[in-house]
Amino acid sequence: MLTILAISGTFLVAFAITALLVPPLITLARREGWVANPGPRHVHREPTPVVGGLAMIAGLVGAIVLSAGFEQIDPALRRSAFEQLRIGLLLIGISIIALVSFLDDLYDLPALPRLGVHIIAALIAVGPYLWDHTLYPDVLGQPTEARGIILTAFNFPFVDQIHLHNLSPWLAIAATVLWIVGMQNMVNWIDGLDGLAAGVTFIAGMVLAIHTLTLDPPQLTIALLPLALSGACAAFLLYNTHPARIFMGDVGAMTIGYTLGICAIIGGAKLATALLVMGVPLVDMAWLILSRTLRGRSAAQAGRDHLHHRLLDLGLNQRQVVGCYYALSIAFGSIGLFDFFTPLFKLVALLVLGGSILIVLLFLQPKTRIA
Protein backbone atom coordinates (compact mmCIF):
# COMPACT_ATOMS: atom_id res chain seq x y z
CA MET A 1 0.00 0.00 0.00
CA LEU A 2 2.81 2.42 0.86
CA THR A 3 4.50 1.57 -2.42
CA ILE A 4 1.33 2.40 -4.37
CA LEU A 5 0.96 5.70 -2.52
CA ALA A 6 4.58 6.64 -3.21
CA ILE A 7 4.35 5.76 -6.89
CA SER A 8 1.07 7.66 -7.25
CA GLY A 9 2.60 10.54 -5.34
CA THR A 10 5.22 11.05 -8.04
CA PHE A 11 2.51 11.67 -10.63
CA LEU A 12 0.52 13.89 -8.27
CA VAL A 13 3.50 16.03 -7.22
CA ALA A 14 4.41 16.71 -10.85
CA PHE A 15 0.77 17.45 -11.62
CA ALA A 16 0.32 19.82 -8.68
CA ILE A 17 3.51 21.81 -9.22
CA THR A 18 2.81 22.27 -12.92
CA ALA A 19 -0.85 23.17 -12.42
CA LEU A 20 0.00 25.76 -9.77
CA LEU A 21 2.76 27.42 -11.78
CA VAL A 22 1.04 27.79 -15.15
CA PRO A 23 -1.38 30.66 -14.25
CA PRO A 24 1.33 33.01 -12.89
CA LEU A 25 3.52 32.01 -15.83
CA ILE A 26 0.77 33.09 -18.24
CA THR A 27 0.66 36.49 -16.52
CA LEU A 28 4.45 36.83 -16.58
CA ALA A 29 4.72 35.83 -20.24
CA ARG A 30 2.09 38.36 -21.31
CA ARG A 31 3.81 41.10 -19.33
CA GLU A 32 7.24 40.30 -20.78
CA GLY A 33 5.97 39.77 -24.33
CA TRP A 34 6.90 36.08 -24.45
CA VAL A 35 4.10 35.27 -26.88
CA ALA A 36 3.62 33.60 -30.25
CA ASN A 37 1.84 35.89 -32.69
CA PRO A 38 -0.56 34.54 -35.32
CA GLY A 39 1.01 33.86 -38.71
CA PRO A 40 0.62 31.90 -41.97
CA ARG A 41 2.03 28.63 -40.60
CA HIS A 42 0.32 28.93 -37.21
CA VAL A 43 -3.24 27.90 -36.44
CA HIS A 44 -3.88 30.10 -33.40
CA ARG A 45 -5.61 33.46 -33.92
CA GLU A 46 -4.34 35.63 -31.09
CA PRO A 47 -1.02 36.19 -29.29
CA THR A 48 -0.43 33.30 -26.90
CA PRO A 49 2.26 32.80 -24.21
CA VAL A 50 4.93 30.33 -25.37
CA VAL A 51 7.02 29.39 -22.32
CA GLY A 52 4.61 27.05 -20.54
CA GLY A 53 7.29 24.38 -20.61
CA LEU A 54 8.96 26.14 -17.69
CA ALA A 55 6.09 25.05 -15.44
CA MET A 56 6.28 21.51 -16.83
CA ILE A 57 10.01 21.34 -16.13
CA ALA A 58 9.46 22.55 -12.56
CA GLY A 59 6.84 19.84 -12.02
CA LEU A 60 8.97 17.14 -13.63
CA VAL A 61 12.17 18.00 -11.78
CA GLY A 62 10.35 18.61 -8.51
CA ALA A 63 8.74 15.18 -8.61
CA ILE A 64 12.03 13.46 -9.51
CA VAL A 65 13.90 15.18 -6.68
CA LEU A 66 11.18 14.47 -4.12
CA SER A 67 11.04 10.82 -5.19
CA ALA A 68 14.54 10.42 -3.79
CA GLY A 69 12.97 10.42 -0.32
CA PHE A 70 10.54 7.61 -1.09
CA GLU A 71 13.03 5.00 0.08
CA GLN A 72 12.22 6.21 3.59
CA ILE A 73 8.62 5.10 2.96
CA ASP A 74 9.42 1.79 1.30
CA PRO A 75 12.88 0.17 0.95
CA ALA A 76 11.72 -1.27 -2.39
CA LEU A 77 11.93 2.28 -3.77
CA ARG A 78 15.62 2.67 -2.92
CA ARG A 79 17.60 3.54 -6.02
CA SER A 80 20.87 1.75 -6.72
CA ALA A 81 24.08 3.72 -7.18
CA PHE A 82 23.74 3.20 -10.96
CA GLU A 83 20.21 4.66 -10.94
CA GLN A 84 21.27 7.62 -8.82
CA LEU A 85 24.01 8.37 -11.33
CA ARG A 86 21.55 8.17 -14.23
CA ILE A 87 19.05 10.49 -12.52
CA GLY A 88 21.86 12.97 -11.93
CA LEU A 89 22.90 12.82 -15.59
CA LEU A 90 19.27 13.28 -16.64
CA LEU A 91 18.85 16.38 -14.47
CA ILE A 92 22.04 17.92 -15.88
CA GLY A 93 20.85 17.23 -19.41
CA ILE A 94 17.42 18.69 -18.68
CA SER A 95 19.04 21.86 -17.34
CA ILE A 96 21.09 22.36 -20.51
CA ILE A 97 18.21 21.62 -22.88
CA ALA A 98 15.83 23.85 -20.93
CA LEU A 99 18.21 26.81 -20.85
CA VAL A 100 19.07 26.77 -24.57
CA SER A 101 15.48 26.05 -25.61
CA PHE A 102 14.19 28.93 -23.47
CA LEU A 103 16.67 31.25 -25.18
CA ASP A 104 15.49 29.85 -28.52
CA ASP A 105 11.89 30.72 -27.64
CA LEU A 106 12.95 34.29 -26.92
CA TYR A 107 15.57 34.91 -29.61
CA ASP A 108 15.04 32.25 -32.32
CA LEU A 109 18.52 30.68 -32.27
CA PRO A 110 20.02 29.12 -35.44
CA ALA A 111 19.22 25.45 -36.03
CA LEU A 112 22.76 24.08 -36.23
CA PRO A 113 23.97 25.35 -32.81
CA ARG A 114 20.73 24.05 -31.26
CA LEU A 115 21.37 20.61 -32.77
CA GLY A 116 24.88 20.72 -31.33
CA VAL A 117 23.45 21.37 -27.86
CA HIS A 118 21.00 18.47 -28.30
CA ILE A 119 23.89 16.14 -29.12
CA ILE A 120 25.92 17.39 -26.15
CA ALA A 121 22.94 16.82 -23.83
CA ALA A 122 22.56 13.28 -25.18
CA LEU A 123 26.27 12.61 -24.59
CA ILE A 124 25.87 13.91 -21.03
CA ALA A 125 23.15 11.30 -20.55
CA VAL A 126 25.55 8.61 -21.77
CA GLY A 127 27.86 9.82 -18.99
CA PRO A 128 30.89 7.78 -17.85
CA TYR A 129 30.06 5.03 -20.35
CA LEU A 130 31.84 7.28 -22.87
CA TRP A 131 35.15 6.12 -21.38
CA ASP A 132 34.13 3.19 -19.16
CA HIS A 133 32.55 0.52 -21.38
CA THR A 134 32.30 -2.04 -18.60
CA LEU A 135 28.95 -3.68 -17.84
CA TYR A 136 28.72 -4.29 -14.11
CA PRO A 137 26.66 -6.97 -12.28
CA ASP A 138 23.04 -6.11 -11.48
CA VAL A 139 21.17 -7.32 -8.38
CA LEU A 140 20.85 -10.76 -9.98
CA GLY A 141 24.56 -10.91 -10.73
CA GLN A 142 24.14 -10.46 -14.48
CA PRO A 143 26.45 -7.99 -16.30
CA THR A 144 23.81 -5.48 -17.42
CA GLU A 145 24.56 -2.27 -15.48
CA ALA A 146 26.38 0.51 -17.31
CA ARG A 147 27.64 3.72 -15.73
CA GLY A 148 25.33 5.98 -17.69
CA ILE A 149 22.15 5.95 -19.75
CA ILE A 150 22.92 3.75 -22.73
CA LEU A 151 21.03 1.64 -25.25
CA THR A 152 23.05 -1.55 -24.85
CA ALA A 153 20.57 -4.02 -26.40
CA PHE A 154 17.03 -4.41 -27.69
CA ASN A 155 14.78 -7.27 -28.74
CA PHE A 156 14.11 -7.95 -32.41
CA PRO A 157 12.20 -10.71 -34.22
CA PHE A 158 14.11 -13.68 -35.61
CA VAL A 159 17.34 -12.87 -33.73
CA ASP A 160 15.88 -12.60 -30.20
CA GLN A 161 18.12 -9.68 -29.20
CA ILE A 162 20.51 -7.24 -30.86
CA HIS A 163 23.28 -6.49 -28.35
CA LEU A 164 24.85 -3.22 -29.44
CA HIS A 165 27.35 -3.23 -26.58
CA ASN A 166 28.77 -6.57 -27.69
CA LEU A 167 28.98 -5.43 -31.30
CA SER A 168 30.73 -2.19 -30.32
CA PRO A 169 30.34 0.18 -27.35
CA TRP A 170 30.67 3.08 -29.80
CA LEU A 171 27.75 1.70 -31.80
CA ALA A 172 25.72 1.69 -28.57
CA ILE A 173 26.73 5.30 -27.90
CA ALA A 174 25.82 6.41 -31.44
CA ALA A 175 22.43 4.66 -31.24
CA THR A 176 21.73 6.27 -27.87
CA VAL A 177 22.55 9.77 -29.10
CA LEU A 178 20.49 9.29 -32.27
CA TRP A 179 17.53 8.02 -30.24
CA ILE A 180 17.55 10.83 -27.67
CA VAL A 181 18.09 13.61 -30.22
CA GLY A 182 15.43 12.10 -32.48
CA MET A 183 12.87 11.95 -29.67
CA GLN A 184 13.52 15.59 -28.75
CA ASN A 185 12.85 16.79 -32.26
CA MET A 186 9.93 14.42 -32.80
CA VAL A 187 8.04 15.88 -29.84
CA ASN A 188 8.96 19.40 -30.92
CA TRP A 189 7.62 18.80 -34.43
CA ILE A 190 4.21 17.61 -33.24
CA ASP A 191 3.83 20.68 -31.03
CA GLY A 192 1.74 22.40 -33.68
CA LEU A 193 -1.81 21.97 -32.39
CA ASP A 194 -3.35 22.66 -29.00
CA GLY A 195 -2.80 19.70 -26.68
CA LEU A 196 -1.06 17.51 -29.25
CA ALA A 197 2.50 17.23 -27.93
CA ALA A 198 1.50 17.25 -24.25
CA GLY A 199 -1.26 14.69 -24.80
CA VAL A 200 0.78 12.24 -26.86
CA THR A 201 3.68 12.50 -24.40
CA PHE A 202 1.28 11.92 -21.49
CA ILE A 203 0.03 8.74 -23.17
CA ALA A 204 3.56 7.59 -23.98
CA GLY A 205 4.71 8.21 -20.41
CA MET A 206 1.79 6.26 -18.95
CA VAL A 207 2.32 3.36 -21.35
CA LEU A 208 6.03 3.19 -20.47
CA ALA A 209 5.21 3.39 -16.74
CA ILE A 210 2.70 0.54 -17.01
CA HIS A 211 5.20 -1.49 -19.05
CA THR A 212 7.87 -0.95 -16.40
CA LEU A 213 5.55 -1.81 -13.51
CA THR A 214 4.33 -5.04 -15.14
CA LEU A 215 7.78 -6.49 -15.78
CA ASP A 216 8.89 -9.48 -13.71
CA PRO A 217 10.23 -8.27 -11.38
CA PRO A 218 8.65 -4.79 -11.64
CA GLN A 219 11.05 -1.85 -11.98
CA LEU A 220 9.44 0.32 -9.34
CA THR A 221 12.04 3.08 -9.20
CA ILE A 222 12.37 3.25 -13.00
CA ALA A 223 8.60 3.78 -13.29
CA LEU A 224 8.80 6.98 -11.26
CA LEU A 225 10.40 8.86 -14.16
CA PRO A 226 7.67 8.37 -16.82
CA LEU A 227 5.04 8.93 -14.11
CA ALA A 228 6.59 12.31 -13.26
CA LEU A 229 6.65 13.18 -16.97
CA SER A 230 3.02 12.16 -17.42
CA GLY A 231 1.94 14.13 -14.36
CA ALA A 232 3.51 17.32 -15.70
CA CYS A 233 1.92 16.80 -19.13
CA ALA A 234 -1.52 16.04 -17.66
CA ALA A 235 -1.49 19.26 -15.66
CA PHE A 236 -0.34 21.31 -18.63
CA LEU A 237 -3.24 19.98 -20.68
CA LEU A 238 -5.61 21.83 -18.34
CA TYR A 239 -4.38 25.03 -20.00
CA ASN A 240 -3.21 23.75 -23.39
CA THR A 241 -6.27 21.96 -24.80
CA HIS A 242 -8.10 23.85 -27.53
CA PRO A 243 -8.40 26.78 -27.30
CA ALA A 244 -4.99 26.92 -25.62
CA ARG A 245 -4.25 29.61 -23.05
CA ILE A 246 -0.51 28.88 -23.24
CA PHE A 247 1.93 26.93 -25.40
CA MET A 248 4.81 24.86 -24.04
CA GLY A 249 7.30 26.35 -26.51
CA ASP A 250 10.62 24.76 -27.43
CA VAL A 251 11.59 24.88 -23.77
CA GLY A 252 8.79 22.44 -23.05
CA ALA A 253 8.79 20.31 -26.20
CA MET A 254 12.55 19.74 -26.31
CA THR A 255 12.76 18.98 -22.60
CA ILE A 256 9.89 16.51 -22.46
CA GLY A 257 11.17 14.91 -25.67
CA TYR A 258 14.59 14.50 -24.08
CA THR A 259 13.03 12.97 -20.97
CA LEU A 260 10.74 10.70 -22.95
CA GLY A 261 13.65 9.38 -25.01
CA ILE A 262 15.52 8.53 -21.82
CA CYS A 263 12.42 6.93 -20.25
CA ALA A 264 12.39 4.43 -23.12
CA ILE A 265 15.96 3.21 -22.59
CA ILE A 266 16.76 3.74 -18.90
CA GLY A 267 16.66 0.49 -16.96
CA GLY A 268 16.55 -1.61 -20.14
CA ALA A 269 15.31 -0.72 -23.61
CA LYS A 270 11.57 -0.60 -24.23
CA LEU A 271 11.93 0.40 -27.86
CA ALA A 272 9.04 -1.62 -29.28
CA THR A 273 6.58 -0.04 -26.85
CA ALA A 274 7.97 3.47 -27.40
CA LEU A 275 7.97 3.11 -31.18
CA LEU A 276 4.40 1.83 -31.22
CA VAL A 277 2.99 4.58 -29.01
CA MET A 278 4.96 7.27 -30.90
CA GLY A 279 4.53 5.63 -34.31
CA VAL A 280 2.54 8.41 -35.98
CA PRO A 281 4.94 11.26 -35.01
CA LEU A 282 7.91 9.03 -35.91
CA VAL A 283 6.70 8.35 -39.46
CA ASP A 284 5.70 11.98 -39.91
CA MET A 285 9.18 13.14 -38.85
CA ALA A 286 10.94 10.65 -41.12
CA TRP A 287 8.77 11.69 -44.07
CA LEU A 288 9.35 15.39 -43.44
CA ILE A 289 13.13 14.92 -43.33
CA LEU A 290 13.06 12.94 -46.58
CA SER A 291 10.60 15.12 -48.48
CA ARG A 292 12.16 18.42 -47.44
CA THR A 293 15.64 17.17 -48.32
CA LEU A 294 14.49 15.97 -51.76
CA ARG A 295 12.94 19.41 -52.39
CA GLY A 296 16.21 21.10 -51.52
CA ARG A 297 15.00 22.47 -48.18
CA SER A 298 16.58 22.15 -44.78
CA ALA A 299 14.89 19.49 -42.68
CA ALA A 300 15.01 21.92 -39.74
CA GLN A 301 13.23 24.68 -41.67
CA ALA A 302 9.71 25.31 -40.36
CA GLY A 303 6.77 24.65 -42.64
CA ARG A 304 3.11 23.75 -42.85
CA ASP A 305 3.66 20.28 -44.29
CA HIS A 306 3.26 18.25 -41.08
CA LEU A 307 0.63 15.51 -40.97
CA HIS A 308 -1.50 17.45 -38.50
CA HIS A 309 -1.56 20.44 -40.88
CA ARG A 310 -2.60 18.22 -43.76
CA LEU A 311 -5.45 16.77 -41.73
CA LEU A 312 -6.60 20.31 -40.93
CA ASP A 313 -6.52 21.12 -44.65
CA LEU A 314 -8.65 18.02 -45.23
CA GLY A 315 -11.40 19.67 -43.16
CA LEU A 316 -10.90 18.24 -39.68
CA ASN A 317 -10.81 20.65 -36.75
CA GLN A 318 -8.09 20.76 -34.10
CA ARG A 319 -9.93 18.59 -31.59
CA GLN A 320 -10.59 15.92 -34.21
CA VAL A 321 -6.97 15.81 -35.39
CA VAL A 322 -5.63 15.66 -31.84
CA GLY A 323 -8.19 12.97 -31.00
CA CYS A 324 -6.94 10.85 -33.92
CA TYR A 325 -3.39 11.09 -32.62
CA TYR A 326 -4.52 10.17 -29.11
CA ALA A 327 -6.53 7.18 -30.32
CA LEU A 328 -3.70 5.78 -32.43
CA SER A 329 -1.17 6.30 -29.64
CA ILE A 330 -3.39 4.48 -27.14
CA ALA A 331 -4.28 1.66 -29.53
CA PHE A 332 -0.77 0.87 -30.72
CA GLY A 333 0.80 1.61 -27.33
CA SER A 334 -1.52 -1.02 -25.86
CA ILE A 335 -0.11 -3.59 -28.28
CA GLY A 336 3.31 -2.99 -26.76
CA LEU A 337 2.00 -3.76 -23.26
CA PHE A 338 0.60 -7.24 -23.81
CA ASP A 339 2.99 -10.19 -23.64
CA PHE A 340 0.82 -12.39 -25.85
CA PHE A 341 1.71 -10.12 -28.76
CA THR A 342 4.99 -11.52 -30.04
CA PRO A 343 7.89 -9.28 -31.12
CA LEU A 344 7.10 -10.23 -34.72
CA PHE A 345 3.47 -9.14 -34.31
CA LYS A 346 4.60 -5.84 -32.81
CA LEU A 347 6.98 -5.28 -35.72
CA VAL A 348 4.20 -6.02 -38.21
CA ALA A 349 1.87 -3.63 -36.33
CA LEU A 350 4.50 -0.89 -36.50
CA LEU A 351 5.03 -1.50 -40.22
CA VAL A 352 1.27 -1.41 -40.88
CA LEU A 353 0.97 1.85 -38.92
CA GLY A 354 3.95 3.34 -40.73
CA GLY A 355 2.68 2.27 -44.14
CA SER A 356 -0.78 3.69 -43.46
CA ILE A 357 0.63 7.06 -42.38
CA LEU A 358 2.91 7.17 -45.43
CA ILE A 359 -0.08 6.63 -47.71
CA VAL A 360 -1.89 9.50 -46.00
CA LEU A 361 1.16 11.74 -46.34
CA LEU A 362 1.56 10.89 -50.02
CA PHE A 363 -2.03 11.64 -50.97
CA LEU A 364 -2.76 14.59 -48.66
CA GLN A 365 -0.57 17.21 -50.23
CA PRO A 366 -0.52 20.53 -48.35
CA LYS A 367 -2.43 23.43 -49.87
CA THR A 368 0.48 25.78 -49.24
CA ARG A 369 4.19 25.36 -48.82
CA ILE A 370 5.35 28.08 -46.49
CA ALA A 371 8.92 28.23 -45.33
Side-chain angles (χ1 to χ4, degrees):
M1 185 62 180
L2 290 176
T3 302
I4 295 174
L5 289 175
I7 291 174
S8 302
T10 303
F11 179 95
L12 294 174
V13 167
F15 184 96
I17 293 175
T18 304
L20 289 172
L21 289 180
V22 170
L25 188 58
I26 292 174
T27 302
L28 174 64
R30 291 194 180 280
R31 185 174 71 239
E32 298 295 330
W34 301 339
V35 297
N37 292 307
R41 69 179 183 87
H42 299 297
V43 298
H44 64 283
R45 298 181 179 180
E46 60 183 46
T48 306
V50 292
V51 293
L54 294 175
M56 303 174 73
I57 294 167
L60 171 64
V61 172
I64 293 173
V65 172
L66 288 175
S67 69
F70 288 166
E71 64 181 55
Q72 305 300 324
I73 300 175
D74 188 341
L77 296 176
R78 180 178 293 112
R79 289 189 171 103
S80 68
F82 293 103
E83 286 186 58
Q84 293 174 14
L85 170 63
R86 292 169 194 146
I87 293 298
L89 295 171
L90 169 65
L91 293 176
I92 294 172
I94 285 176
S95 301
I96 294 173
I97 291 294
L99 174 60
V100 174
S101 299
F102 177 64
L103 293 175
D104 183 42
D105 282 328
L106 300 187
Y107 305 112
D108 195 18
L109 303 179
L112 193 57
R114 284 188 282 120
L115 177 60
V117 172
H118 300 163
I119 293 173
I120 290 172
L123 289 172
I124 287 173
V126 173
Y129 184 85
L130 285 168
W131 59 85
D132 179 6
H133 298 159
T134 306
L135 292 184
Y136 295 90
D138 57 21
V139 293
L140 300 177
Q142 300 299 315
T144 63
E145 295 280 18
R147 294 180 63 226
I149 301 168
I150 190 75
L151 177 57
T152 55
F154 60 92
N155 294 328
F156 196 80
F158 311 116
V159 294
D160 187 33
Q161 190 177 72
I162 297 178
H163 208 295
L164 299 177
H165 171 86
N166 289 348
L167 293 173
S168 169
W170 294 106
L171 179 60
I173 291 170
T176 301
V177 171
L178 180 64
W179 173 261
I180 295 174
V181 172
M183 288 297 285
Q184 289 180 71
N185 287 277
M186 186 192 310
V187 173
N188 187 49
W189 281 10
I190 63 171
D191 186 30
L193 298 183
D194 297 348
L196 183 54
V200 170
T201 304
F202 164 75
I203 294 168
M206 291 303 298
V207 168
L208 289 173
I210 294 170
H211 183 133
T212 304
L213 291 170
T214 53
L215 292 174
D216 185 20
Q219 296 178 324
L220 300 178
T221 54
I222 300 297
L224 300 178
L225 181 56
L227 284 171
L229 177 63
S230 293
C233 290
F236 189 70
L237 284 171
L238 298 176
Y239 308 92
N240 186 239
T241 50
H242 186 70
R245 296 168 55 190
I246 188 170
F247 300 145
M248 67 173 67
D250 278 8
V251 66
M254 289 296 184
T255 305
I256 66 174
Y258 179 81
T259 307
L260 181 61
I262 287 175
C263 285
I265 60 176
I266 193 170
K270 306 164 186 70
L271 292 189
T273 303
L275 288 172
L276 283 166
V277 74
M278 297 294 288
V280 177
L282 173 68
V283 176
D284 187 28
M285 182 179 73
W287 173 256
L288 284 174
I289 293 173
L290 176 63
S291 62
R292 288 177 178 179
T293 302
L294 291 176
R295 295 199 303 268
R297 293 175 52 193
S298 168
Q301 188 177 15
R304 205 177 184 280
D305 50 352
H306 295 269
L307 175 61
H308 51 265
H309 289 133
R310 300 190 186 197
L311 293 174
L312 287 176
D313 292 341
L314 188 64
L316 300 180
N317 60 42
Q318 285 205 51
R319 291 184 181 274
Q320 290 170 331
V321 174
V322 171
C324 288
Y325 272 78
Y326 288 2
L328 288 170
S329 295
I330 293 171
F332 282 88
S334 298
I335 292 175
L337 292 177
F338 294 110
D339 288 338
F340 56 81
F341 290 128
T342 65
L344 177 60
F345 182 89
K346 294 176 183 180
L347 176 62
V348 171
L350 182 60
L351 292 175
V352 169
L353 176 62
S356 301
I357 299 302
L358 280 176
I359 291 173
V360 173
L361 288 167
L362 283 169
F363 286 95
L364 290 184
Q365 296 299 322
K367 292 181 179 179
T368 57
R369 299 181 185 275
I370 299 170

